[in-house]
Amino acid sequence: MADLNLMPQIRALETGTIWQPAGGLFALEGTTYPGAPFDPVPLTDNHYEYEQWSGFASGTVGAVINMADGLLHCECVGYPALTANMGASALIGAQNLALRIDAFAKAFFAQFGFFPPIWIVTWSQGAWAFALFWRIYVLPEDGALHYLMDFMTSVYNYGDVFRRSGTSRGNDYAGLPKPGTVDGDVDGGIAGPEQLTQAETDIISKIDGRYVIKSFNRHGDLYGDAPMGADPETKMPAAGIVEYSYFKDIEKTGFFSIIVNFMGGVLHVIGDAEAAANVIKFFGAGTNAPHYQYWDEMSWVANDIVQTASALPHQL
């Protein structure tokens, strides 16, 4: 496992200074990232051992390191990232993220006397893990990381499974088009009635005054751009009900059960040609699908992180 913070530590030793990052940046990758369940190691100019492209979350971390190495303490958090039993896999991701942030925050406090600002970036199943992390560890008053609530700066989710219907603040801040409607219905994360609520989504950062959760979603990304309606807790469109059933399949069994069920024709008659068409188009596109095209978003996020962190106290 590469230490992404090795070079700033070495520079501090060589110059006799104390390295004080502006805060911590943590990443959770998507399903079956290379090397899972070990920590992904992003491509950087430091050429750490085992570097490789693993996805947009760790890719963002690599970009930040290349732009301003040492500005932030950086960690890409490993977890199973399985295609089967994704719910359990995402829960482990949430647990690992909580452990790593907690350890960093307490070590930072012990050295500098205050808690650090925190940035998180996720993609795909990593966004699912974040939603669990947010609900279990941060939002509840008795949550293990509730003490860091005021230090949560920005969370950038690409292809956000739990995105609140009609809300895509990453797109808004970056000036990128919103995904829009799907089959004429308000779009949102495929988690449907389990999406983050508006209250869970509308948290303002006390670090920079913006919304903490900044989700990025492209039109046609089945995971973050599903026809769920404006209020999926009480009413979902027919296509949304079918696509939510796909999510439940993935949660408890696995990705391939979708294909088996679909080919077997047992998905609610797919009275929903709309849902069927959405799924066929998404999986048929392979790596050309919108879920794998968050390059512009990643560039904006890396710049946003560096700009925000550079305005905070730090010593390189």
Side-chain angles (χ1 to χ4, degrees), residues 130-146:
F130 164 74
L132 299 176
F133 162 86
W134 196 237
R135 281 177 164 159
I136 295 169
Y137 298 104
V138 180
L139 293 181
E141 290 188 4
D142 60 351
L145 295 189
H146 187 71

Side-chain angles (χ1 to χ4, degrees), residues 229-313:
D231 188 15
E233 290 89 351
T234 59
K235 183 179 181 181
M236 285 190 291
I241 292 171
V242 175
E243 292 186 31
Y244 174 59
S245 76
Y246 300 165
F247 167 75
K248 298 307 288 183
D249 268 348
I250 288 173
E251 178 183 40
K252 296 179 180 178
T253 53
F255 165 81
F256 293 106
S257 71
I258 291 179
I259 305 302
V260 171
N261 287 342
F262 176 73
M263 296 305 291
V266 297
L267 283 180
H268 307 294
V269 182
I270 307 200
D272 255 53
E274 291 173 347
N278 293 339
V279 173
I280 291 171
K281 184 177 180 181
F282 177 81
F283 289 119
T287 55
N288 292 319
H291 191 65
Y292 303 96
Q293 303 301 320
Y294 286 99
W295 302 102
D296 291 343
E297 292 84 347
M298 185 178 76
S299 177
W300 185 89
V301 168
N303 280 282
D304 189 61
I305 292 170
V306 170
Q307 181 177 349
T308 306
S310 294
L312 300 174

Side-chain angles (χ1 to χ4, degrees), residues 54-69:
S54 298
F56 294 102
S58 61
T60 302
V61 173
V64 168
I65 290 173
N66 287 345
M67 293 169 68
D69 191 17

Side-chain angles (χ1 to χ4, degrees), residues 117-255:
I118 299 294
W119 286 259
I120 298 170
V121 57
T122 77
W123 178 42
S124 194
Q125 189 180 149
W128 186 340
F130 164 74
L132 299 176
F133 162 86
W134 196 237
R135 281 177 164 159
I136 295 169
Y137 298 104
V138 180
L139 293 181
E141 290 188 4
D142 60 351
L145 295 189
H146 187 71
Y147 74 96
L148 290 175
M149 186 73 188
D150 290 349
F151 301 92
M152 292 292 168
T153 307
S154 285
V155 177
Y156 309 92
N157 297 322
Y158 307 120
D160 189 352
V161 180
F162 279 71
R163 176 173 72 93
R164 186 67 200 168
S165 285
T167 304
S168 197
R169 297 225 166 85
N171 296 59
D172 293 341
Y173 284 126
L176 296 170
K178 282 190 174 183
T181 59
V182 180
D183 304 325
D185 296 304
V186 175
D187 72 310
I190 200 170
E194 299 175 45
Q195 293 172 359
L196 292 180
T197 66
Q198 204 67 57
E200 291 170 329
T201 301
D202 290 350
I203 305 295
I204 299 293
S205 167
K206 294 191 176 180
I207 303 298
D208 68 6
R210 299 181 298 172
Y211 288 106
V212 172
I213 297 177
K214 303 170 180 67
S215 291
F216 292 87
N217 299 273
R218 289 191 161 230
H219 183 65
D221 182 344
L222 184 70
Y223 300 132
D225 181 39
M228 291 298 159
D231 188 15
E233 290 89 351
T234 59
K235 183 179 181 181
M236 285 190 291
I241 292 171
V242 175
E243 292 186 31
Y244 174 59
S245 76
Y246 300 165
F247 167 75
K248 298 307 288 183
D249 268 348
I250 288 173
E251 178 183 40
K252 296 179 180 178
T253 53
F255 165 81

